[in-house]
Amino acid sequence: MKKPELLMDNLEEALFLEGLQSDEPMLESIHVRDDVVRHLTLGKLIMDKSMITESILQSNDFSKAELTDCIFSHCDLSNTNLSGAILYRCEFVNCKMVGTIFADAYLNHVLFKSCHMEMVNFTNGNLKFVRVAECNLTNADMIDCQLKNFQVNHTNLQNINLIGTLLKQVDISTCDFTQLVVSPKTIEHCLVNEQQAIGFAKGLLKVKIAT
């Protein structure tokens, strides 16, 4: 999995709105720290080689944004709209992302680590080389997603909706849940632990047990 390619020494300190270039909504080689941005609508925001830390970015409309080589650390992006966005080599670490919308988004080499992602929406998303580690995804929507090299580890998946998404070869054996919204085809050939397999046994077969 590829990590963001940005040099900290090259980043200019700025507030989010100050860092935007005047001719288009673009942030490039910027470090935003301890900022608050709410209810902002930006048509096709472009972020490149930038970092945002300890900031609140709640309830913004950044639909169709393009984020490349970006890091978000200890941020609150709850209820922000990133539908139709393109994310490449990005990381979200220790972020709050309750209700964040990634519907119809394209994510390639993206890491979510130690994030609160309850009710996040990935519906119709295309997720390639995406890793979710030590997160809370309860009541999330991952309906009709395309997954390639998708990893999820030590994450709470309780009541996540996976209808129309195939978990073939995806290892969920370290994840916590008592109920998922799935069809038999959804979990066909995914990897589960013994306790999970027992839970799926009634009407949902064809799973592999991780050893």
Side-chain angles (χ1 to χ4, degrees):
M1 184 171 175
K2 298 178 181 177
K3 298 180 68 66
E5 296 179 0
L6 72 163
L7 298 175
M8 296 300 298
D9 292 341
N10 292 344
L11 301 184
E12 177 184 351
E13 295 276 347
L15 296 178
F16 188 92
L17 293 178
E18 292 176 347
L20 291 173
Q21 299 184 11
S22 57
D23 55 340
E24 59 181 330
M26 181 174 182
L27 288 170
E28 185 174 10
S29 299
I30 295 295
H31 185 185
V32 177
R33 190 197 309 267
D34 196 24
D35 199 4
V36 178
V37 178
R38 293 190 176 99
H39 306 292
L40 176 66
T41 297
L42 288 176
K44 203 169 184 180
L45 168 68
I46 298 174
M47 285 184 60
D48 185 36
K49 291 180 169 55
S50 295
M51 184 173 186
I52 301 183
T53 58
E54 300 177 333
S55 295
I56 297 173
L57 303 172
Q58 294 175 343
S59 303
N60 298 297
D61 186 354
F62 299 154
S63 54
K64 300 188 184 303
E66 296 182 9
L67 312 181
T68 304
D69 294 319
C70 293
I71 296 176
F72 296 80
S73 176
H74 294 86
C75 292
D76 187 346
L77 295 99
S78 296
N79 297 313
T80 284
N81 183 6
L82 286 161
S83 61
I86 298 173
L87 287 75
Y88 181 57
R89 291 196 305 253
C90 293
E91 293 184 355
F92 298 83
V93 181
N94 287 302
C95 290
K96 184 177 181 182
M97 309 176 74
V98 177
T100 302
I101 301 172
F102 289 98
D104 301 299
Y106 175 80
L107 284 68
N108 194 346
H109 293 279
V110 176
L111 169 68
F112 299 94
K113 184 174 182 181
S114 302
C115 293
H116 289 278
M117 302 174 69
E118 297 94 323
M119 295 179 288
V120 71
N121 187 350
F122 285 105
T123 297
N124 292 318
N126 190 338
L127 284 62
K128 297 182 178 180
F129 297 95
V130 171
R131 184 184 176 203
V132 180
E134 302 169 14
C135 294
N136 188 343
L137 272 173
T138 56
N139 297 303
D141 285 324
M142 291 188 70
I143 302 168
D144 293 325
C145 289
Q146 299 181 48
L147 306 180
K148 180 179 180 181
N149 293 98
F150 178 79
Q151 300 178 47
V152 57
N153 315 110
H154 303 286
T155 289
N156 189 339
L157 301 179
Q158 178 64 18
N159 208 38
I160 186 172
N161 191 334
L162 290 156
I163 294 296
T165 299
L166 302 181
L167 294 179
K168 185 176 181 180
Q169 302 303 322
V170 176
D171 187 345
I172 61 173
S173 64
T174 63
C175 296
D176 296 323
F177 60 88
T178 58
Q179 180 177 335
L180 302 179
V181 181
V182 295
S183 68
K185 192 169 184 61
T186 299
I187 61 166
E188 195 171 297
H189 305 302
C190 75
L191 281 76
V192 300
N193 62 41
E194 185 174 358
Q195 183 176 359
Q196 292 165 350
I198 293 171
F200 283 135
K202 184 178 288 187
L204 297 174
L205 302 176
K206 298 182 180 178
V207 296
K208 297 180 180 179
I209 299 175
T211 58

